[in-house]
Amino acid sequence: MADETVADAPAPQAHGTSRGHRIQEVLTIVVIAVVAVLTAWCGFESSKWGGEMSIAFSQASSARIQASNADGEARDARALDLTIYAQWVAAVAEERQGLADYIEARFTPYFKVAFDEWDAGGRSLNSPLAEESYQPPGQAEAEQLSSQADTKFAQALENNARGDRYSLLTVLFALVLFFAAMSSRNFAPWAARTFLGLAAVLALTGAAIMTTFPILV
């Protein structure tokens, strides 16, 4: 009877070990499954933010081209006003008031506003073109488009950074999968549990970090 009791003693331990092993396998499968989904989601978000980056870069480039065109228009208008103003200065210097009045009557509307302000201010500035009120066509549009281009360029860089952060998370989740796979190998129980614990901690850390990232669907 004593021999039979001794022979039957290891049975509960074996049953407990087998049950613990099954629980560990289930946890490993859960970790791998969850991390696989998170990895796919990170890849999706990285791709979406990469697309947004490309769109923003294209919009910045388009705005920059339009700003250049508008600035060219403003330069041409400024050159025309400068030419007419130079003729007016020459007429005044030669004391040909009739010619000066004739030229003044042909000032462009936006130059006329600046000229009147310059004249009313005692002509203290070098020319009416130096007045803040002088706004040739295209200048305001060029400034607006240039600012828009800068904004879109900064947005593109931010979108690129967001995509990179999601890509870095996939590296972290790949490490989780590695540790989870190692936990299912024929290691000592404590080693397998350690690998699984590391996988779980890293998975939770990655998931917590991902909740701080913006989502684009």
Side-chain angles (χ1 to χ4, degrees):
M1 294 293 294
D3 293 339
E4 292 178 0
T5 302
V6 173
D8 293 341
Q13 182 179 0
H15 177 72
T17 302
S18 177
R19 182 181 179 184
H21 182 69
R22 287 197 300 270
I23 293 174
Q24 181 178 323
E25 286 182 340
V26 171
L27 290 176
T28 301
I29 293 173
V30 170
V31 170
I32 291 176
V34 171
V35 170
V37 173
L38 293 178
T39 301
W41 176 256
C42 286
F44 171 76
E45 285 296 313
S46 178
S47 176
K48 292 288 288 185
W49 285 114
E52 288 296 308
M53 176 199 67
S54 299
I55 293 173
F57 271 134
S58 297
Q59 291 174 338
S61 178
S62 176
R64 194 76 68 189
I65 293 172
Q66 294 179 58
S68 178
N69 293 335
D71 187 60
E73 179 185 357
R75 285 197 304 270
D76 292 342
R78 191 178 293 109
L80 175 62
D81 290 331
L82 181 59
T83 300
I84 297 175
Y85 173 68
Q87 296 297 320
W88 178 86
V89 170
V92 171
E94 295 172 2
E95 297 183 354
R96 301 171 65 183
Q97 191 58 43
L99 178 59
D101 292 342
Y102 176 83
I103 295 173
E104 184 176 342
R106 280 151 181 80
F107 285 162
T108 58
Y110 43 88
F111 183 79
K112 178 63 175 174
V113 172
F115 180 85
D116 291 343
E117 183 177 337
W118 174 71
D119 191 35
R123 303 182 179 182
S124 58
L125 298 179
N126 291 334
S127 75
L129 282 77
E131 294 286 348
E132 292 185 2
S133 59
Y134 178 65
Q135 294 286 327
Q139 179 173 311
E141 184 181 3
E143 293 173 354
Q144 179 183 357
L145 288 169
S146 181
S147 176
Q148 180 181 339
D150 292 339
T151 300
K152 288 297 181 180
F153 185 79
Q155 182 181 340
L157 294 179
E158 178 60 25
N159 291 339
N160 180 58
R162 289 170 177 171
D164 288 344
R165 287 194 285 270
Y166 272 107
S167 295
L168 284 175
L169 266 188
T170 62
V171 177
L172 177 63
F173 289 141
L175 190 60
V176 172
L177 294 175
F178 169 77
F179 283 131
M182 292 297 291
S183 69
S184 62
R185 306 292 293 177
N186 293 325
F187 290 111
W190 67 267
R193 287 192 295 270
T194 300
F195 281 126
L196 182 58
L198 285 172
V201 169
L202 289 176
L204 291 174
T205 301
I209 293 174
M210 191 170 65
T211 58
T212 65
F213 293 171
I215 296 175
L216 183 65
V217 179

